Amino acid sequence: MRKLPQVNQWLKSVQQAVYPLRCLLCDAPGEGGRDLCPACLAELPYNPIACQLCALPLAAHEEGICGGCLKRRPPLDAAVIPFRYAPPLDHLLLGLKFNHQLVNARLLGGLMADAIEARPDERPDCILPVPLHNGRLRERGYNQALELARPVSGRLGIPLENRLAVRLKATAAQSTGLNEATVPTQPGSRAGAISTDDRNASGRLRNWKMAI
């Protein structure tokens, strides 16, 4: 078992030698183990000033907790949203969600892992992808939240739990706004769970420590 990380690293090196990383945004050579070049990495829509609870962007002169969370505290301890939903990140997310561009999940999941690593005191016990309704899963063929979670789990060594929550209601596909309600199959059993999704779902999740 101890040799497994070394084997994975060797396989990754071979893969990158045969198929060099290319930036998904401009097709320049990728760097830092990412499908992204340094120039495009610097241009991503970072979210440096955000609410300490829901992580939605705040104005430059604001800090702490946003007005919405002060009026009604969200049902989570904290959220991590490292980027704003803006170009070119939205292009990568929509390609993953609706156009089967699963390679985007490797890049976006790696960026998620960066954000989690920057908060070592809040390392979760497990990762819980926000589920799709069974009908939507059959239609799409994959759950984009699960694909985002795989590289996070693999890189950080955090268990991936994709059977602890179910989606009760099938609703229209959304490219904006919050996600439909989900409920845990074991309510409250994973107080240290982190939930992954392609959009901020903090307003509709229950019993999760963090939401990405």
Side-chain angles (χ1 to χ4, degrees):
M1 294 296 292
R2 294 180 180 178
K3 293 184 178 180
L4 187 58
Q6 297 178 355
V7 172
N8 289 339
Q9 185 60 41
W10 178 81
L11 291 174
K12 183 177 180 180
S13 299
V14 171
Q15 181 185 40
Q16 292 182 4
V18 177
Y19 303 103
L21 296 172
R22 307 295 299 183
C23 179
L24 296 178
L25 296 175
C26 71
D27 203 37
E31 290 189 17
R34 299 188 183 94
D35 299 291
L36 197 66
C37 70
C40 288
L41 177 63
E43 293 299 320
L44 290 179
Y46 289 92
N47 185 30
I49 305 175
C51 173
Q52 294 176 358
L53 287 179
C54 71
L56 291 180
L58 297 175
H61 63 279
E62 295 179 315
E63 61 180 19
I65 300 175
C66 71
C69 289
L70 288 173
K71 292 180 180 178
R72 184 177 182 181
R73 184 184 177 92
L76 44 70
D77 291 334
V80 179
I81 305 178
F83 305 99
R84 293 174 288 106
Y85 188 73
L89 196 70
D90 57 347
H91 171 76
L92 296 175
L93 287 169
L94 293 176
L96 167 63
K97 190 168 185 176
F98 297 114
N99 295 320
H100 293 78
Q101 296 173 1
L102 297 181
V103 66
N104 294 3
R106 180 173 65 186
L107 169 61
L108 295 170
L111 295 172
M112 279 187 175
D114 291 341
I116 297 171
E117 282 186 321
R119 301 167 70 113
D121 294 337
E122 298 179 354
R123 188 177 180 87
D125 299 320
C126 69
I127 300 174
L128 172 62
V130 173
L132 285 179
H133 187 271
N134 286 338
R136 180 62 48 75
L137 184 60
R138 286 193 296 269
E139 176 186 329
R140 187 172 297 167
Y142 62 95
N143 178 3
Q144 71 278 358
L146 176 59
E147 298 306 317
L148 288 169
R150 292 187 196 278
V152 180
S153 174
R155 177 170 142 189
L156 301 182
I158 301 173
L160 177 59
E161 304 281 1
N162 65 339
R163 299 182 182 276
L164 294 181
V166 294
R167 188 175 294 276
L168 298 178
K169 182 180 179 181
T171 58
Q174 297 185 20
S175 58
T176 61
L178 296 177
N179 289 273
E180 308 90 331
T182 62
V183 297
T185 56
Q186 302 176 27
S189 64
R190 290 286 183 171
I194 181 173
S195 175
T196 60
D197 196 14
D198 59 315
R199 297 297 310 278
N200 174 26
S202 62
R204 304 290 181 87
L205 295 175
R206 297 293 186 273
N207 297 319
W208 316 132
K209 185 177 182 64
M210 296 167 65
I212 286 187

